[in-house]
Amino acid sequence: MKTIAIINLKGGVGKTTTAINMAALLASRHDKSVLLIDNDPQGNASQIFECYESWSDTCGAADILNGGQPVRYFRSVGAGDNQNGIEIINANISLLGADNALRASTERQDNRYRAFLSTESVTQQYDYCIIDNPPALLMCTINALCAADEVIIPVTLDNWSLDGVETITKQIEELKALNEKLTIAGILLTNYKKSLENEAAEKWLRENCKYRVFDTQIRRSDKVTAATYYKKPLDEHSPRSAAAVTYRKFVNEYLERAEEGGREHGI
Ligand SMILES: Nc1ncnc2c1ncn2[C@@H]1O[C@H](COP(=O)(O)OP(=O)(O)OP(=O)(O)O)[C@@H](O)[C@H]1O
Ligand SMILES: [Mg+2]
């Protein structure tokens, strides 16, 4: 099982949109077995997959932080020949309480996700675990980074976001002290619209960033916000929209590069 944390400490850059669509596409278009963890007290990924329990004083992500067993919700994704299922561990605001309790605990604080994700029943069941993260370095975020093999950093192009790349990559490098296998799979340009400024910012990023920037840019499309109201991944809500097309292209690129990496390492 490969665990991928989708992270950026900046808000609204497309983390959740990337996590839910990548999870859905890996299952529906690539026949992978996928676990999606909503690790954000906002619960946006849980809302899309209709397992957001605002009334509950706990949630799956909080259960993991508390050392318990989370409920996993099965949801169908895709359509026609590409229909498949994913499982989701939900979140709500109770995750913040569990986060604070863990921070105050005298026990080891960084290994709750790693302990859950390394159990045999989880590693045997899934090919991929995708973790959607909040725009902050909470204990739950640190736990996700300590359990992950890779991170993908969604970025929207503006002057502040480019600073954000530096902040998060620095944090990730520091966290390697706790999780030496952690690598940055790449930076993903999201919500992308062609303009002179964006082209210049993209060129600067590709030339100056020491990490991989994925070739695919996720295009801006009104259908992305619409899909949140219909509670559907893009490939189901509007498969021909520019954002759906580019998310499919991105997942293909991700898998091709992962395979190339595996061959280089003799896997
Ligand atoms: N490709 C896109 N085209 C148009 N709108 C987009 C695109 N990607 C994301 N958005 C919109 O931008 C907003 C933020 O996206 P999203 O919730 O995925 O970001 P986030 O990084 O998870 O935010 P947060 O930090 O609050 O968790 C949403 O309203 C979403 O619909
Ligand atoms: Mg989000």
Side-chain angles (χ1 to χ4, degrees), residues 221-254:
S221 161
D222 291 344
K223 300 289 185 193
V224 175
T225 304
T228 63
Y229 292 112
Y230 290 95
K231 300 186 190 302
K232 292 259 181 256
L234 281 164
D235 200 32
E236 282 164 67
H237 176 259
S238 49
R240 284 195 288 271
S241 65
V245 170
T246 47
Y247 267 115
R248 287 198 295 274
K249 198 170 158 214
F250 159 65
V251 172
N252 289 341
E253 178 186 350
Y254 172 82

Side-chain angles (χ1 to χ4, degrees), residues 11-17 38 40 42-45 132-135:
V13 293
K15 294 181 291 295
T16 303
T17 307
D38 186 351
D40 182 349
Q42 297 179 99
N44 295 152
D132 182 30
N133 285 285

Side-chain angles (χ1 to χ4, degrees), residues 49-117:
F49 289 111
E50 299 189 82
C51 55
Y52 178 63
E53 297 170 341
S54 58
W55 63 90
S56 175
D57 59 7
T58 190
C59 62
D63 291 341
I64 304 177
L65 285 195
N66 291 329
Q69 281 299 317
V71 173
R72 292 175 239 168
Y73 294 87
F74 178 87
R75 292 290 181 267
S76 173
V77 289
D81 289 347
N82 293 313
Q83 203 152 28
N84 215 328
I86 65 171
E87 290 194 352
I88 296 133
I89 290 174
N90 69 359
N92 61 23
I93 199 71
S94 72
L95 179 54
L96 269 187
D99 203 277
N100 287 333
L102 183 58
R103 198 178 284 274
S105 148
T106 51
E107 291 169 21
R108 189 169 169 178
Q109 300 176 351
D110 62 12
N111 63 350
R112 303 297 165 97
Y113 271 58
R114 189 189 291 161
F116 168 67
L117 290 173

Side-chain angles (χ1 to χ4, degrees), residues 163-182:
D163 291 346
V165 171
E166 217 174 296
T167 311
I168 185 61
T169 51
K170 194 161 165 269
Q171 292 288 342
I172 290 164
E173 293 300 345
E174 283 175 15
L175 271 162
K176 279 190 181 175
L178 297 172
N179 177 9
E180 59 186 26
K181 70 180 177 186
L182 187 65

